Amino acid sequence: MPIKKWLIPAGFICLTLFCSSIAFGGRPLVVDDARTVDAEDFQFELGIVQGQPEKGGRAQAWPAMALTYGLYKNLEVALGIQRVNSDPKGEPPVRGFQDLHLAPKFNFFEEVENGFPALSFSFDLKIPTASRHKGLSSGKFDETLLFIATKHFFPAAIDLNLGYLVVGRVAGEKLENRFFGGMALRYGLNQHWRLVSEIYGLSRQASGAKNEANFQVGIRYHSDLPLVLDAAVGRSLLPSGTRIQGTVGFTWTHKPDL
């Protein structure tokens, strides 16, 4: 079986379902915001993503998790990984943990009231820790550069992401570097509930493949504890990628001074 046959479902799960190689967006979103975790705080995200490819079959990421630490003010570093269980129609099944992602983010410009938005830059390094023979990895390092802008219009906020994914070249494969763009809208209903939505797209992952465009709508519940529960549903806007998908999860923040 050619390696490319194994890479397609793995790349589909990683880039279309959870998109962890593009951004560590605050759950349940893929599009990230400019805010960083406060210095010395830990933030843990855990979720499950269930989807159905356009051609049928199953695509699941469980667990999909990330751990973020605030190194300094306006600077964080995150580790992310997910286990996939996919069986797209016409493709071999793929099961197991995918590559580890290391992603620092720096908020280099804070938002100005009635002025410029907050601006951040993140760098995502995909480390080939997973098995290439099982279709879980290309066996190469990938790097993603992401520019993030966030502007608040109380009680709403808008996030804009522009990114570029540099893929490690694999002999015999026609993998291409990818562009990523997305916009998210967050709206606060009250102290606890937030409505969230996003639209994002990626250029094709290989010669002959199709571009991808997706949207999601969801909710966040901010409890009285340092815990946020979330859920979202979405689908592809093009005849490629995900027919429909859903995700549920939570984000827990540990503050040492509490």
Side-chain angles (χ1 to χ4, degrees), residues 3 6-7 130-140 170-171 173:
I3 292 296
W6 292 93
L7 291 177
S131 171
R132 181 183 179 188
H133 298 293
K134 293 182 179 180
L136 296 165
S137 172
S138 65
K140 302 292 183 179
V170 179
E173 302 299 334

Side-chain angles (χ1 to χ4, degrees), residues 34 54 90 112 119 131 143-144 172 177 208 235:
E54 283 288 350
V112 177
L119 303 176
S131 171
E143 301 87 29
T144 300
N177 295 339
R235 66 151 299 146

Side-chain angles (χ1 to χ4, degrees), residues 4-17 82 84 86 88 91-94 98 131 134-138 205:
K4 186 174 182 179
K5 289 293 186 180
W6 292 93
L7 291 177
I8 289 176
F12 166 76
I13 293 291
C14 188
L15 292 170
T16 306
L17 258 180
Q82 64 182 11
V84 299
S86 69
E91 301 290 347
V94 177
Q98 292 187 308
S131 171
K134 293 182 179 180
L136 296 165
S137 172
S138 65
Q205 69 176 21

Side-chain angles (χ1 to χ4, degrees), residues 22-26 30-38 43 45 68-79 102-108 119-125 144 146-150 159 161 186:
I22 294 296
F24 285 81
V30 170
V31 174
D32 203 359
D33 60 82
R35 185 186 67 85
T36 57
V37 172
D38 292 339
Q43 190 173 86
E45 298 180 8
T68 306
Y69 177 67
L71 285 175
Y72 303 100
K73 181 182 178 181
N74 298 332
L75 177 63
E76 68 177 33
V77 62
L79 288 173
L102 173 65
K105 181 169 73 172
F106 177 53
N107 177 206
F108 62 88
L119 303 176
S120 292
F121 175 81
S122 73
F123 173 77
D124 183 333
L125 176 65
T144 300
L146 184 70
F147 174 78
I148 307 165
T150 294
D159 307 305
N161 286 190
R186 297 175 281 126

Side-chain angles (χ1 to χ4, degrees), residues 61-247:
W62 165 254
M65 50 190 175
L67 179 64
T68 306
Y69 177 67
L71 285 175
Y72 303 100
K73 181 182 178 181
N74 298 332
L75 177 63
E76 68 177 33
V77 62
L79 288 173
I81 197 169
Q82 64 182 11
R83 188 183 190 279
V84 299
N85 183 9
S86 69
D87 189 15
K89 187 176 181 180
E91 301 290 347
V94 177
R95 296 181 177 87
F97 279 95
Q98 292 187 308
D99 293 329
L100 181 69
H101 289 260
L102 173 65
K105 181 169 73 172
F106 177 53
N107 177 206
F108 62 88
F109 188 87
E110 296 187 0
E111 183 174 353
V112 177
E113 186 176 358
N114 299 321
F116 285 95
L119 303 176
S120 292
F121 175 81
S122 73
F123 173 77
D124 183 333
L125 176 65
K126 190 203 77 171
I127 305 170
T129 56
S131 171
R132 181 183 179 188
H133 298 293
K134 293 182 179 180
L136 296 165
S137 172
S138 65
K140 302 292 183 179
F141 287 88
D142 293 348
E143 301 87 29
T144 300
L145 308 174
L146 184 70
F147 174 78
I148 307 165
T150 294
K151 182 63 181 176
H152 288 82
F153 305 92
F154 185 81
I158 296 176
D159 307 305
L160 174 67
N161 286 190
L162 297 172
Y164 186 66
L165 170 63
V166 181
V167 300
R169 298 303 177 185
V170 179
E173 302 299 334
K174 297 181 180 180
L175 301 177
E176 296 184 355
N177 295 339
R178 308 187 75 180
F179 291 96
F180 170 77
M183 184 175 67
L185 173 64
R186 297 175 281 126
Y187 187 85
L189 297 175
N190 52 43
Q191 179 181 353
H192 295 291
W193 292 96
R194 307 286 189 274
L195 296 178
V196 296
S197 63
E198 67 180 350
I199 182 171
Y200 61 92
L202 301 108
S203 61
R204 61 186 184 180
Q205 69 176 21
S207 177
K210 297 180 180 179
N211 297 329
E212 301 167 17
N214 307 273
F215 82 91
Q216 281 198 119
V217 293
I219 57 173
R220 288 176 180 159
Y221 175 73
H222 294 249
S223 69
D224 294 328
L225 300 172
L227 179 71
V228 179
L229 306 177
D230 67 78
V233 294
R235 66 151 299 146
S236 175
L237 296 171
L238 299 174
S240 62
T242 308
R243 178 179 299 168
I244 188 170
Q245 71 178 43
T247 180

